[in-house]
Amino acid sequence: QLAGQVHRLCEYFDRYSVARGDVVAVALERSLELVVAQVSVLVHGAVLLPIDMDQPARRVDDMLREAQARLVVAADAGAIGRSNLLPVLDVSSALADAPTGSPDLAARTVGVGPGDGVYTLFTSGSTGRPKGAVNTQGGIANRVEWMQQTYRLTPDDRVLHKTPIAFDVAVWEWLWPLSVGATVVLAEPGAHKDPVALARCIVQHQVTVTHFIPSMLRLFATQPEARACTSLRQIVCSGEELTAVGVEEARRICPAVDNLYGPTEAAIDVTWWACRGDEQRVPIGSPISGVRCRVVDATGALVPVGVPGELLIGGVAMAQGYAHRPGLTARAFVPDPWADGERLYRTGDRVRWREAGVLEFLGRLDAQVKIRGVRVEPGEVEAALQACPGVDGAAVVV
């Protein structure tokens, strides 16, 4: 059934002359149609641009323009953002007459290589403009394969899809279980903000694997309803610093809690730590397969174990760069002096090797902050304030 629906949407992409490598925006609430639309974009060989419609219309316009999107898949054919310069595909109408058979979709992916773009996600920019990181087919394939080798989903598993689609975690919440024949459980729109609603969803659908940002995990774990989530076998955390107290609370409702780390400029997560419950400070762990991590000082020289420095990321997980921003890409993605022809992404995160092969997060080297898991550059907020009539200057603090 899924293949039939994907085939039908890909036919519509053909009608709109969407070519391999073109950007297709998906602006849908969490729903069956959302999953179908995102699978269809990947199968078609296009680049997925997830759009969270809770964002301001002007920002939606900026993202569509920056990414040079060719088509928007939405719940109806109305305007997207402030303007409607792009064609909008009404997904419900498009899927109304989807075939019931199981067409062969493999031919559509012929010619797609590991270096091709697969999705673009926008994050806060210090100059006031959001920047879109373009991740690769090879990066997400490596990430999903690592996750399967590590957690071993089976067809009996049920993975909760609750992360807003503008976050990279949302990609694996549907792609990983579908790739191995497990079940995707879709939380109701808005449920990611309600720990009680999430607990009831987990119990009702017997969810076995889910993700939380640490601040939401602490809120969730303290709810009486969370004690009934006995089906959970794995909780994955990322997006914020995970504390030892957070691990202790989470392990009361789930035996396995892991801490993962990764910037938007890489295919979701690049390091991993299986929490033991006895850590005074929870590390971000070791590089996953296919990833290189370097820790350097201000001169770019490698630092020894225990010495703080900036984390640089390389390997298959690294993004192509920022969409249509060559100058910004060149500053953030630099040559790897230890590997000819390779690049490293400068994260701006301050870390140290706690021991050989295990990284500890120490904070930022710049003003960037995390607000409930969302990357925010105070400079972007200042730029927005300074654009308001009557405002001559602005300073932003957390």
Side-chain angles (χ1 to χ4, degrees):
Q1 289 174 328
L2 177 61
Q5 293 178 326
V6 168
H7 179 70
R8 177 47 48 89
L9 272 194
C10 287
E11 289 181 333
Y12 273 92
F13 294 164
D14 289 335
R15 296 180 196 178
Y16 283 98
S17 300
V18 175
R20 185 169 291 130
D22 284 345
V23 175
V24 175
V26 174
L28 293 164
E29 288 191 318
R30 194 163 35 247
S31 60
L32 174 62
E33 290 78 14
L34 170 65
V35 176
V36 173
Q38 293 186 116
V39 174
S40 301
V41 175
L42 267 61
V43 166
H44 194 71
V47 178
L48 173 67
L49 173 60
I51 298 288
D52 185 347
M53 293 306 294
D54 287 338
Q55 296 180 98
R58 180 177 172 182
R59 189 176 179 88
V60 171
D61 283 344
D62 288 344
M63 291 189 292
L64 293 173
R65 183 177 60 254
E66 283 271 333
Q68 298 184 10
R70 290 271 290 109
L71 177 69
V72 180
V73 181
D76 55 52
I80 301 297
R82 287 185 173 178
S83 60
N84 192 13
L85 303 178
L86 289 171
V88 177
L89 173 61
D90 179 346
V91 68
S92 298
S93 298
L95 294 177
D97 58 347
T100 56
S102 181
D104 181 14
L105 301 176
R108 287 191 172 272
T109 63
V110 173
V112 175
D116 292 335
V118 65
Y119 67 82
T120 297
L121 289 178
F122 278 81
T123 187
S124 188
S126 58
T127 62
R129 287 175 62 192
K131 52 193 179 185
V134 184
N135 278 278
T136 67
Q137 295 274 354
I140 191 62
N142 179 78
R143 175 62 174 71
V144 169
E145 183 179 7
W146 169 83
M147 210 166 192
Q148 179 58 15
Q149 290 175 348
T150 303
Y151 298 113
R152 300 291 181 181
L153 284 188
T154 73
D156 293 329
D157 276 302
R158 291 168 169 248
V159 177
L160 183 60
H161 180 15
K162 68 174 184 60
T163 301
I165 66 171
F167 289 85
D168 52 8
V169 167
V171 177
W172 70 248
E173 285 180 339
W174 57 268
L175 182 56
W176 174 36
L178 290 183
S179 73
V180 295
T183 300
V184 184
V185 175
L186 298 166
E188 291 290 329
H192 60 279
K193 303 175 184 178
D194 185 343
V196 174
L198 289 176
R200 290 171 179 167
C201 179
I202 290 169
V203 171
Q204 178 183 354
H205 297 286
Q206 292 295 286
V207 169
T208 59
V209 179
T210 189
H211 172 275
F212 281 101
I213 60 169
S215 54
M216 187 57 169
L217 176 60
R218 293 202 65 186
L219 193 59
F220 174 81
T222 57
Q223 304 299 319
E225 290 84 354
R227 298 171 193 158
C229 297
T230 55
S231 60
L232 283 178
R233 71 172 179 89
Q234 181 69 58
I235 290 176
V236 177
C237 288
S238 66
E240 292 173 340
E241 189 170 0
L242 179 62
T243 65
V245 173
V247 172
E248 180 184 354
E249 291 171 344
R251 282 166 64 92
R252 295 172 189 164
I253 59 172
C254 180
V257 179
D258 287 8
N259 190 32
L260 278 65
Y261 160 91
T264 308
E265 291 83 355
I268 312 179
D269 299 301
V270 294
T271 68
W272 162 68
W273 177 259
C275 299
R276 301 188 299 255
D278 59 353
E279 302 96 341
Q280 292 184 338
R281 187 183 182 108
V282 183
I284 58 175
S286 304
I288 70 169
S289 58
V291 171
R292 298 190 307 276
C293 289
R294 318 279 196 194
V295 183
V296 301
D297 61 20
T299 70
L302 295 173
V303 299
V305 170
V307 176
E310 181 180 10
L311 175 60
L312 277 59
I313 296 168
V316 69
M318 188 174 54
Q320 289 179 349
Y322 298 112
H324 311 294
R325 304 279 290 274
L328 191 60
T329 297
R331 290 192 292 274
F333 295 81
V334 298
D336 184 347
W338 301 280
D340 288 342
E342 300 292 330
R343 297 181 305 154
L344 295 167
Y345 168 65
R346 299 188 60 182
T347 67
D349 285 333
R350 189 167 177 263
V351 302
R352 68 181 173 193
W353 294 108
R354 193 174 78 172
E355 56 198 72
V358 178
L359 287 164
E360 189 174 83
F361 179 79
L362 301 175
R364 289 290 298 175
L365 294 168
D366 57 17
Q368 185 190 107
V369 295
K370 285 286 185 77
I371 306 295
R372 291 186 294 277
V374 181
R375 261 168 64 171
V376 177
E377 297 277 3
E380 182 178 3
V381 186
E382 290 169 356
L385 290 171
Q386 288 166 352
C388 295
V391 176
D392 293 325
V396 172
V397 295
V398 179

PDB file of all heavy atoms in Angstrom, residues 216-237:
ATOM      1  N   MET A 216      12.816  17.498  27.935  1.00  0.00           N
ATOM      2  CA  MET A 216      11.501  16.864  27.844  1.00  0.00           C
ATOM      3  C   MET A 216      11.520  15.486  28.504  1.00  0.00           C
ATOM      4  O   MET A 216      10.510  15.051  29.088  1.00  0.00           O
ATOM      5  CB  MET A 216      11.074  16.739  26.380  1.00  0.00           C
ATOM      6  CG  MET A 216       9.641  16.243  26.199  1.00  0.00           C
ATOM      7  SD  MET A 216       8.438  17.300  27.038  1.00  0.00           S
ATOM      8  CE  MET A 216       6.913  16.684  26.378  1.00  0.00           C
ATOM      9  N   LEU A 217      12.653  14.797  28.429  1.00  0.00           N
ATOM     10  CA  LEU A 217      12.758  13.485  29.069  1.00  0.00           C
ATOM     11  C   LEU A 217      12.537  13.604  30.574  1.00  0.00           C
ATOM     12  O   LEU A 217      11.826  12.789  31.176  1.00  0.00           O
ATOM     13  CB  LEU A 217      14.125  12.862  28.777  1.00  0.00           C
ATOM     14  CG  LEU A 217      14.400  11.527  29.462  1.00  0.00           C
ATOM     15  CD1 LEU A 217      13.388  10.469  29.046  1.00  0.00           C
ATOM     16  CD2 LEU A 217      15.824  11.053  29.160  1.00  0.00           C
ATOM     17  N   ARG A 218      13.129  14.623  31.196  1.00  0.00           N
ATOM     18  CA  ARG A 218      12.954  14.803  32.641  1.00  0.00           C
ATOM     19  C   ARG A 218      11.494  15.082  32.974  1.00  0.00           C
ATOM     20  O   ARG A 218      10.957  14.550  33.955  1.00  0.00           O
ATOM     21  CB  ARG A 218      13.840  15.944  33.138  1.00  0.00           C
ATOM     22  CG  ARG A 218      15.336  15.650  33.049  1.00  0.00           C
ATOM     23  CD  ARG A 218      16.118  16.506  34.005  1.00  0.00           C
ATOM     24  NE  ARG A 218      15.785  16.195  35.398  1.00  0.00           N
ATOM     25  CZ  ARG A 218      16.251  16.883  36.435  1.00  0.00           C
ATOM     26  NH1 ARG A 218      17.044  17.926  36.238  1.00  0.00           N
ATOM     27  NH2 ARG A 218      15.916  16.548  37.667  1.00  0.00           N
ATOM     28  N   LEU A 219      10.846  15.909  32.158  1.00  0.00           N
ATOM     29  CA  LEU A 219       9.430  16.207  32.369  1.00  0.00           C
ATOM     30  C   LEU A 219       8.589  14.944  32.200  1.00  0.00           C
ATOM     31  O   LEU A 219       7.669  14.675  32.989  1.00  0.00           O
ATOM     32  CB  LEU A 219       8.991  17.282  31.380  1.00  0.00           C
ATOM     33  CG  LEU A 219       7.645  17.961  31.616  1.00  0.00           C
ATOM     34  CD1 LEU A 219       7.609  18.644  32.979  1.00  0.00           C
ATOM     35  CD2 LEU A 219       7.364  18.972  30.510  1.00  0.00           C
ATOM     36  N   PHE A 220       8.916  14.152  31.176  1.00  0.00           N
ATOM     37  CA  PHE A 220       8.178  12.920  30.898  1.00  0.00           C
ATOM     38  C   PHE A 220       8.360  11.894  32.025  1.00  0.00           C
ATOM     39  O   PHE A 220       7.396  11.287  32.492  1.00  0.00           O
ATOM     40  CB  PHE A 220       8.671  12.331  29.569  1.00  0.00           C
ATOM     41  CG  PHE A 220       8.100  10.984  29.229  1.00  0.00           C
ATOM     42  CD1 PHE A 220       6.833  10.867  28.662  1.00  0.00           C
ATOM     43  CD2 PHE A 220       8.833   9.825  29.461  1.00  0.00           C
ATOM     44  CE1 PHE A 220       6.313   9.627  28.354  1.00  0.00           C
ATOM     45  CE2 PHE A 220       8.319   8.582  29.152  1.00  0.00           C
ATOM     46  CZ  PHE A 220       7.049   8.481  28.598  1.00  0.00           C
ATOM     47  N   ALA A 221       9.605  11.715  32.442  1.00  0.00           N
ATOM     48  CA  ALA A 221       9.912  10.658  33.408  1.00  0.00           C
ATOM     49  C   ALA A 221       9.266  10.895  34.769  1.00  0.00           C
ATOM     50  O   ALA A 221       9.064   9.935  35.531  1.00  0.00           O
ATOM     51  CB  ALA A 221      11.430  10.528  33.565  1.00  0.00           C
ATOM     52  N   THR A 222       8.935  12.146  35.078  1.00  0.00           N
ATOM     53  CA  THR A 222       8.336  12.437  36.382  1.00  0.00           C
ATOM     54  C   THR A 222       6.809  12.317  36.378  1.00  0.00           C
ATOM     55  O   THR A 222       6.178  12.453  37.432  1.00  0.00           O
ATOM     56  CB  THR A 222       8.715  13.862  36.839  1.00  0.00           C
ATOM     57  OG1 THR A 222       8.299  14.803  35.839  1.00  0.00           O
ATOM     58  CG2 THR A 222      10.220  13.984  37.047  1.00  0.00           C
ATOM     59  N   GLN A 223       6.220  12.035  35.212  1.00  0.00           N
ATOM     60  CA  GLN A 223       4.768  11.874  35.140  1.00  0.00           C
ATOM     61  C   GLN A 223       4.368  10.487  35.649  1.00  0.00           C
ATOM     62  O   GLN A 223       4.999   9.486  35.292  1.00  0.00           O
ATOM     63  CB  GLN A 223       4.271  12.034  33.697  1.00  0.00           C
ATOM     64  CG  GLN A 223       4.648  13.340  33.047  1.00  0.00           C
ATOM     65  CD  GLN A 223       4.076  14.539  33.764  1.00  0.00           C
ATOM     66  OE1 GLN A 223       2.929  14.535  34.205  1.00  0.00           O
ATOM     67  NE2 GLN A 223       4.887  15.591  33.866  1.00  0.00           N
ATOM     68  N   PRO A 224       3.327  10.389  36.473  1.00  0.00           N
ATOM     69  CA  PRO A 224       2.869   9.064  36.924  1.00  0.00           C
ATOM     70  C   PRO A 224       2.517   8.145  35.754  1.00  0.00           C
ATOM     71  O   PRO A 224       2.745   6.926  35.822  1.00  0.00           O
ATOM     72  CB  PRO A 224       1.635   9.393  37.770  1.00  0.00           C
ATOM     73  CG  PRO A 224       1.843  10.805  38.220  1.00  0.00           C
ATOM     74  CD  PRO A 224       2.580  11.487  37.118  1.00  0.00           C
ATOM     75  N   GLU A 225       2.002   8.719  34.659  1.00  0.00           N
ATOM     76  CA  GLU A 225       1.625   7.914  33.494  1.00  0.00           C
ATOM     77  C   GLU A 225       2.824   7.232  32.845  1.00  0.00           C
ATOM     78  O   GLU A 225       2.684   6.201  32.186  1.00  0.00           O
ATOM     79  CB  GLU A 225       0.908   8.792  32.455  1.00  0.00           C
ATOM     80  CG  GLU A 225      -0.476   9.263  32.871  1.00  0.00           C
ATOM     81  CD  GLU A 225      -0.445  10.508  33.731  1.00  0.00           C
ATOM     82  OE1 GLU A 225       0.666  10.951  34.107  1.00  0.00           O
ATOM     83  OE2 GLU A 225      -1.522  11.035  34.035  1.00  0.00           O
ATOM     84  N   ALA A 226       4.015   7.794  33.037  1.00  0.00           N
ATOM     85  CA  ALA A 226       5.207   7.224  32.408  1.00  0.00           C
ATOM     86  C   ALA A 226       5.559   5.854  32.980  1.00  0.00           C
ATOM     87  O   ALA A 226       6.192   5.033  32.308  1.00  0.00           O
ATOM     88  CB  ALA A 226       6.394   8.172  32.566  1.00  0.00           C
ATOM     89  N   ARG A 227       5.144   5.589  34.207  1.00  0.00           N
ATOM     90  CA  ARG A 227       5.456   4.298  34.828  1.00  0.00           C
ATOM     91  C   ARG A 227       4.762   3.140  34.124  1.00  0.00           C
ATOM     92  O   ARG A 227       5.156   1.986  34.258  1.00  0.00           O
ATOM     93  CB  ARG A 227       5.057   4.323  36.300  1.00  0.00           C
ATOM     94  CG  ARG A 227       5.798   5.364  37.120  1.00  0.00           C
ATOM     95  CD  ARG A 227       5.215   5.494  38.515  1.00  0.00           C
ATOM     96  NE  ARG A 227       5.711   6.680  39.204  1.00  0.00           N
ATOM     97  CZ  ARG A 227       5.093   7.270  40.220  1.00  0.00           C
ATOM     98  NH1 ARG A 227       3.945   6.745  40.673  1.00  0.00           N
ATOM     99  NH2 ARG A 227       5.601   8.328  40.800  1.00  0.00           N
ATOM    100  N   ALA A 228       3.700   3.473  33.369  1.00  0.00           N
ATOM    101  CA  ALA A 228       2.975   2.419  32.649  1.00  0.00           C
ATOM    102  C   ALA A 228       3.606   2.106  31.288  1.00  0.00           C
ATOM    103  O   ALA A 228       3.126   1.199  30.598  1.00  0.00           O
ATOM    104  CB  ALA A 228       1.524   2.840  32.452  1.00  0.00           C
ATOM    105  N   CYS A 229       4.675   2.811  30.923  1.00  0.00           N
ATOM    106  CA  CYS A 229       5.303   2.615  29.604  1.00  0.00           C
ATOM    107  C   CYS A 229       6.270   1.434  29.647  1.00  0.00           C
ATOM    108  O   CYS A 229       7.469   1.559  29.350  1.00  0.00           O
ATOM    109  CB  CYS A 229       6.013   3.885  29.163  1.00  0.00           C
ATOM    110  SG  CYS A 229       4.927   5.299  28.940  1.00  0.00           S
ATOM    111  N   THR A 230       5.762   0.286  30.019  1.00  0.00           N
ATOM    112  CA  THR A 230       6.613  -0.894  30.212  1.00  0.00           C
ATOM    113  C   THR A 230       7.071  -1.521  28.899  1.00  0.00           C
ATOM    114  O   THR A 230       7.949  -2.385  28.897  1.00  0.00           O
ATOM    115  CB  THR A 230       5.858  -1.943  31.038  1.00  0.00           C
ATOM    116  OG1 THR A 230       4.600  -2.229  30.398  1.00  0.00           O
ATOM    117  CG2 THR A 230       5.595  -1.435  32.449  1.00  0.00           C
ATOM    118  N   SER A 231       6.486  -1.099  27.774  1.00  0.00           N
ATOM    119  CA  SER A 231       6.908  -1.651  26.476  1.00  0.00           C
ATOM    120  C   SER A 231       8.237  -1.073  26.008  1.00  0.00           C
ATOM    121  O   SER A 231       8.911  -1.658  25.152  1.00  0.00           O
ATOM    122  CB  SER A 231       5.838  -1.372  25.416  1.00  0.00           C
ATOM    123  OG  SER A 231       5.643   0.027  25.264  1.00  0.00           O
ATOM    124  N   LEU A 232       8.643   0.084  26.561  1.00  0.00           N
ATOM    125  CA  LEU A 232       9.868   0.745  26.106  1.00  0.00           C
ATOM    126  C   LEU A 232      11.093  -0.110  26.407  1.00  0.00           C
ATOM    127  O   LEU A 232      11.299  -0.556  27.539  1.00  0.00           O
ATOM    128  CB  LEU A 232      10.029   2.105  26.794  1.00  0.00           C
ATOM    129  CG  LEU A 232       9.175   3.259  26.279  1.00  0.00           C
ATOM    130  CD1 LEU A 232       9.429   4.509  27.121  1.00  0.00           C
ATOM    131  CD2 LEU A 232       9.468   3.548  24.812  1.00  0.00           C
ATOM    132  N   ARG A 233      11.903  -0.337  25.391  1.00  0.00           N
ATOM    133  CA  ARG A 233      13.172  -1.041  25.599  1.00  0.00           C
ATOM    134  C   ARG A 233      14.373  -0.140  25.349  1.00  0.00           C
ATOM    135  O   ARG A 233      15.489  -0.468  25.736  1.00  0.00           O
ATOM    136  CB  ARG A 233      13.265  -2.278  24.705  1.00  0.00           C
ATOM    137  CG  ARG A 233      13.449  -2.009  23.211  1.00  0.00           C
ATOM    138  CD  ARG A 233      13.720  -3.323  22.490  1.00  0.00           C
ATOM    139  NE  ARG A 233      13.881  -3.193  21.049  1.00  0.00           N
ATOM    140  CZ  ARG A 233      15.046  -2.949  20.430  1.00  0.00           C
ATOM    141  NH1 ARG A 233      16.140  -2.778  21.150  1.00  0.00           N
ATOM    142  NH2 ARG A 233      15.109  -2.885  19.115  1.00  0.00           N
ATOM    143  N   GLN A 234      14.153   1.022  24.693  1.00  0.00           N
ATOM    144  CA  GLN A 234      15.267   1.916  24.386  1.00  0.00           C
ATOM    145  C   GLN A 234      14.789   3.355  24.307  1.00  0.00           C
ATOM    146  O   GLN A 234      13.838   3.673  23.603  1.00  0.00           O
ATOM    147  CB  GLN A 234      15.911   1.534  23.048  1.00  0.00           C
ATOM    148  CG  GLN A 234      17.107   2.392  22.657  1.00  0.00           C
ATOM    149  CD  GLN A 234      18.320   2.150  23.557  1.00  0.00           C
ATOM    150  OE1 GLN A 234      18.803   1.022  23.668  1.00  0.00           O
ATOM    151  NE2 GLN A 234      18.810   3.195  24.211  1.00  0.00           N
ATOM    152  N   ILE A 235      15.472   4.237  25.038  1.00  0.00           N
ATOM    153  CA  ILE A 235      15.289   5.681  24.914  1.00  0.00           C
ATOM    154  C   ILE A 235      16.583   6.269  24.375  1.00  0.00           C
ATOM    155  O   ILE A 235      17.675   5.974  24.885  1.00  0.00           O
ATOM    156  CB  ILE A 235      14.921   6.345  26.258  1.00  0.00           C
ATOM    157  CG1 ILE A 235      13.501   5.949  26.685  1.00  0.00           C
ATOM    158  CG2 ILE A 235      15.042   7.860  26.180  1.00  0.00           C
ATOM    159  CD1 ILE A 235      13.089   6.485  28.041  1.00  0.00           C
ATOM    160  N   VAL A 236      16.444   7.088  23.336  1.00  0.00           N
ATOM    161  CA  VAL A 236      17.588   7.765  22.731  1.00  0.00           C
ATOM    162  C   VAL A 236      17.460   9.252  23.025  1.00  0.00           C
ATOM    163  O   VAL A 236      16.398   9.840  22.832  1.00  0.00           O
ATOM    164  CB  VAL A 236      17.633   7.525  21.208  1.00  0.00           C
ATOM    165  CG1 VAL A 236      18.785   8.286  20.571  1.00  0.00           C
ATOM    166  CG2 VAL A 236      17.744   6.034  20.916  1.00  0.00           C
ATOM    167  N   CYS A 237      18.548   9.865  23.494  1.00  0.00           N
ATOM    168  CA  CYS A 237      18.552  11.289  23.809  1.00  0.00           C
ATOM    169  C   CYS A 237      19.538  12.028  22.909  1.00  0.00           C
ATOM    170  O   CYS A 237      20.619  11.514  22.590  1.00  0.00           O
ATOM    171  CB  CYS A 237      18.970  11.524  25.257  1.00  0.00           C
ATOM    172  SG  CYS A 237      17.740  11.045  26.456  1.00  0.00           S
TER     173      CYS A 237
END
